Amino acid sequence: MSDGLEIPISHRNRLWLYLLCGIVMLLLLAPSLIIIPMSFSDSEFLEFPPPAWSFRWYQKFMESVEWRDAALVSLKAAILTMCLATPLGTAAAYALHAGQFRLANLVQVILAVPLIIPVILIGIGDFFLYAWLGMNNTIFGLVLAHTVLAIPLVSLTVASGLKSYDMNQEMVARSLGASRLKSFLVITVPQIRFSIVSGALFAFITSFDEAVIALFISGGENSTLTRRMFNALRDQVDPTIAAISTFLVCLSILMLLLVQFFGQRRSR
């Protein structure tokens, strides 16, 4: 230190930090990790460790019409939400990045509101609004509500990609006669496609895993998988829920791996 050089901290001196991070990660991951072996239990109840191993609860999930229908509703809503939120969130991020207007900061705050307000308040508001419009228990209403939650995530993800993008490339294309839309689709989109795909995956998983809003505005034939799980937990503890939870955990991990895959392809 006397020569103005910083002495690197050894791994031994960082051992307490590694230990603390390990404990925090264990506390965060333990509930999810415990559910996975419980889903392979042969018991009629949720037990850990499992007394015997079996795929009976996965088989019950596949054979149950109610569970399958709920899964299809969630899948349909997630796909439609992704298809709607991705272009809207991308357009919002592009407008805020490329546009020059005074209300840009206000628009950014408005976009972030769904991330700030508790989801249960959004669910209550959606319930009363949809009751007035007759949109409760409909796929369309569910997709709109999920899109409101997903647009900020898409916008933030695409905005981070636009920060490393040189807008002069698009300006050159426009100076050569290309329209703004064509230059955006041909020049800008290919260079920020990783951010767009990542935002789309976040929109999908946000809709598929969302439970609070679904409790208020979905029901009947349009009950989502998460709402069906909540009802099952309320009425009785069914180990099938552990199998479905394991499926949702694996789906989330798969989405993160896809994001990393597209990121590595982009870097290459």
Side-chain angles (χ1 to χ4, degrees):
M1 296 294 293
S2 59
D3 297 332
L5 299 176
E6 296 184 0
I7 300 176
I9 302 177
S10 63
H11 290 286
R12 180 178 299 178
N13 293 331
R14 293 178 180 174
L15 184 60
W16 67 272
L17 181 60
Y18 298 151
L19 182 61
L20 178 61
C21 292
I23 294 175
V24 172
M25 292 297 295
L26 180 62
L27 293 176
L28 291 175
L29 295 176
S32 299
L33 296 179
I34 291 177
I35 285 294
I36 295 176
M38 290 173 64
S39 67
F40 296 97
S41 174
D42 189 46
S43 174
E44 293 286 341
F45 307 97
L46 292 175
E47 296 184 38
F48 184 83
W53 301 95
S54 173
F55 288 95
R56 61 178 297 188
W57 303 116
Y58 290 92
Q59 182 178 359
K60 181 179 179 180
F61 169 67
M62 298 301 298
E63 293 177 351
S64 173
V65 177
E66 293 182 354
W67 284 116
R68 289 204 313 266
D69 290 345
L72 289 176
V73 170
S74 292
L75 183 62
K76 184 188 301 184
I79 293 175
L80 292 176
T81 298
M82 179 180 64
C83 294
L84 185 59
T86 301
L88 292 178
T90 301
Y94 176 79
L96 292 173
H97 181 79
Q100 300 292 334
F101 53 97
R102 298 179 179 178
L103 299 180
N105 293 332
L106 178 61
V107 174
Q108 289 180 344
V109 172
I110 294 176
L111 284 176
V113 165
L115 300 178
I116 300 173
I117 298 178
V119 181
I120 190 170
L121 296 182
I122 299 177
I124 294 173
D126 287 338
F127 172 77
F128 284 102
L129 176 63
Y130 287 1
W132 181 57
L133 297 175
M135 292 172 54
N136 277 326
N137 302 332
T138 64
I139 288 291
F140 180 69
L142 187 65
V143 170
L144 286 182
H146 287 177
T147 300
V148 171
L149 297 180
I151 284 179
L153 298 176
V154 177
S155 178
L156 291 174
T157 306
V158 176
S160 64
L162 286 170
K163 288 181 179 180
S164 59
Y165 170 69
D166 186 5
M167 290 295 296
N168 290 327
Q169 300 179 53
E170 184 177 315
M171 295 297 294
V172 170
R174 292 168 58 188
S175 67
L176 295 175
S179 64
R180 184 156 199 166
L181 178 61
K182 184 176 182 180
S183 59
F184 171 75
L185 295 176
V186 176
I187 304 298
T188 305
V189 169
Q191 299 192 55
I192 62 170
R193 63 182 181 276
F194 167 70
S195 299
I196 297 176
V197 172
S198 300
L201 294 177
F202 287 141
F204 179 89
I205 202 66
T206 297
S207 174
F208 199 87
D209 283 347
E210 203 285 319
V212 178
I213 292 180
L215 291 175
F216 287 94
I217 64 174
S218 71
E221 296 180 353
N222 292 321
S223 294
T224 63
L225 186 61
T226 51
R227 178 184 172 88
R228 180 78 176 83
M229 292 172 65
F230 180 84
N231 292 337
L233 283 173
R234 182 189 60 188
D235 299 335
Q236 62 179 354
V237 180
D238 188 352
T240 308
I241 298 175
I244 301 173
S245 300
T246 301
F247 167 73
L248 294 177
V249 170
C250 294
L251 180 63
S252 301
I253 294 175
L254 177 61
M255 292 297 177
L256 292 176
L257 292 177
L258 287 175
V259 171
Q260 293 297 323
F261 172 74
F262 285 111
Q264 291 178 358
R265 288 191 59 183
R266 181 194 181 193
S267 61
R268 288 198 297 265

